[in-house]
Amino acid sequence: MNKTNKKSVKTLAIWTIAWVLSTALAAFGPVFVWESQTVLTGGAIGINFLVGIGMIFANIHHITSLDEMLQKIQLQAMGITLGATLVAGISYSLMDTTNLMAADAEISFLVIFMGLTYMAAVVIGYRRYK
């Protein structure tokens, strides 16, 4: 990994950590810190949204800083993740709306599925082009 890649990975990691922390603030702040004050909750959600946009741009910068093989691995992993998440998400939602499952569909399960799918696709991609 060259110096440019290390810098883009570090920048992406900082933006990702900031987004996770802002998500935690928006999710748990109204419950544990400011007890459902609408202005503070809206502000936390707005900050989370803006930090998320920053994370997207950091990810774009990271992808463009990679060489062609690494870009191909990342783009294939993202494509696989998008398709798998769309198919699984629709099926999951249909199971909820048709009452085939007892619990309500939660977005957190879909996010976990997305993360695991992306990580598996990246690992498989690296092994394929090794």
Side-chain angles (χ1 to χ4, degrees):
M1 185 179 291
N2 64 30
K3 189 175 180 179
T4 304
N5 286 353
K6 287 181 182 177
K7 184 178 177 185
S8 73
V9 167
K10 185 176 179 180
T11 302
L12 179 59
I14 290 169
W15 275 103
T16 303
I17 290 168
W19 181 75
V20 169
L21 292 175
S22 70
T23 301
L25 180 67
F28 299 118
V31 177
F32 298 113
V33 182
W34 56 79
E35 298 184 10
S36 300
Q37 292 185 19
T38 306
V39 173
L40 292 176
T41 302
I45 292 171
I47 289 170
N48 176 255
F49 182 79
L50 294 174
V51 173
I53 290 172
M55 183 180 68
I56 290 169
F57 281 107
N59 206 351
I60 291 169
H61 180 266
H62 171 66
I63 296 291
T64 56
S65 72
L66 298 174
D67 65 28
E68 289 181 19
M69 185 188 77
L70 294 176
Q71 283 183 358
K72 185 174 182 175
I73 292 170
Q74 291 291 325
L75 292 176
Q76 286 179 345
M78 289 178 182
I80 291 168
T81 302
L82 175 65
T85 303
L86 181 65
V87 171
I90 294 296
S91 296
Y92 185 52
S93 177
L94 287 171
M95 288 182 356
D96 180 25
T97 58
T98 58
N99 294 323
L100 284 179
M101 62 184 200
D104 290 331
E106 296 290 337
I107 191 72
S108 58
F109 292 119
L110 200 56
V111 172
I112 292 168
F113 174 79
M114 185 185 301
L116 293 174
T117 302
Y118 177 74
M119 286 190 292
V122 168
V123 168
I124 291 169
Y126 275 105
R127 287 187 179 184
R128 180 183 300 157
Y129 293 109
K130 199 174 185 180

